[in-house]
Amino acid sequence: REGHSNVPNRYIDEGLKLGIWLNAQRQLKKRGKLDGSLEKQLEDVGVVWDVFSDKWEKNYCLLVKFRQKEGHSNVPTIYIEDGMKLGRWLNTQRQKKKKRNLEQGYEKKLEDLGVVWDIVSEQWEKNFRLLVKFRQKKGHSMV
């Protein structure tokens, strides 16, 4: 019915707290205490072990798609792609970088894609370059 095995933590079915149970399985695997055959069964039904990384990669792929379509990676804050709030996600990545809380591997991937970290400074520089160009053409800065 759902098409995936990423059960929300609070999900309850037939009176059982399935989300909490699945999270417990993830923790057991993380600690190396989940039996290999059980791990395989869970993988066979599409369980994702690292939900955060999986979601990050999905958003990153959407950003790649956006860049291919638009020619840049400066996603507007309110932009939504395939039901994902891509603009919000990118702003979150910018905030994490600003706070030095963005994993270096993620930072590099975003930089390689041409993400601008400080949009305000970038826009200021762009406008200033246009003003210089105008001055060179017209001989003044009286815009």
Side-chain angles (χ1 to χ4, degrees):
R1 186 175 75 204
E2 301 296 336
H4 63 80
S5 295
N6 292 330
V7 180
N9 208 27
R10 295 183 176 155
Y11 186 81
I12 298 173
D13 194 0
E14 296 181 16
L16 298 173
K17 297 177 180 178
L18 187 58
I20 291 173
W21 175 82
L22 182 55
N23 193 46
Q25 305 314 297
R26 288 183 174 120
Q27 293 306 312
L28 287 170
K29 179 186 177 346
K30 191 174 187 177
R31 292 192 307 261
K33 296 186 177 192
L34 183 63
D35 181 84
S37 65
L38 299 178
E39 183 178 328
K40 170 109 174 69
Q41 285 181 56
L42 291 168
E43 287 173 354
D44 287 346
V45 295
V47 167
V48 172
W49 297 113
D50 187 342
V51 177
F52 175 80
S53 290
D54 184 65
K55 187 172 183 179
W56 196 96
E57 288 297 330
K58 285 178 182 171
N59 278 296
Y60 176 77
C61 288
L62 291 174
L63 181 59
V64 169
K65 184 176 165 184
F66 177 91
R67 180 176 171 78
Q68 289 168 343
K69 190 169 41 172
E70 302 295 332
H72 62 84
S73 299
N74 297 325
V75 182
T77 303
I78 60 170
Y79 187 83
I80 296 173
E81 178 80 36
D82 294 343
M84 304 286 274
K85 296 175 181 177
L86 187 59
R88 264 192 166 157
W89 174 81
L90 184 55
N91 278 346
T92 299
Q93 305 315 299
R94 287 182 175 120
Q95 292 303 313
K96 284 184 173 188
K97 178 179 172 20
K98 191 174 186 178
K99 294 175 185 174
R100 299 174 188 220
N101 198 20
L102 181 61
E103 191 178 303
Q104 283 186 337
Y106 291 158
E107 185 177 329
K108 173 139 178 42
K109 286 180 86 165
L110 293 170
E111 284 176 355
D112 290 348
L113 207 55
V115 167
V116 172
W117 296 112
D118 187 343
I119 295 292
V120 174
S121 292
E122 176 74 14
Q123 190 61 50
W124 191 95
E125 291 293 331
K126 183 178 181 181
N127 285 326
F128 182 74
R129 285 190 303 271
L130 290 173
L131 178 61
V132 169
K133 183 178 173 183
F134 178 89
R135 180 179 171 85
Q136 288 169 344
K137 259 185 184 178
K138 304 290 184 180
H140 63 84
S141 298
M142 306 294 233
V143 182

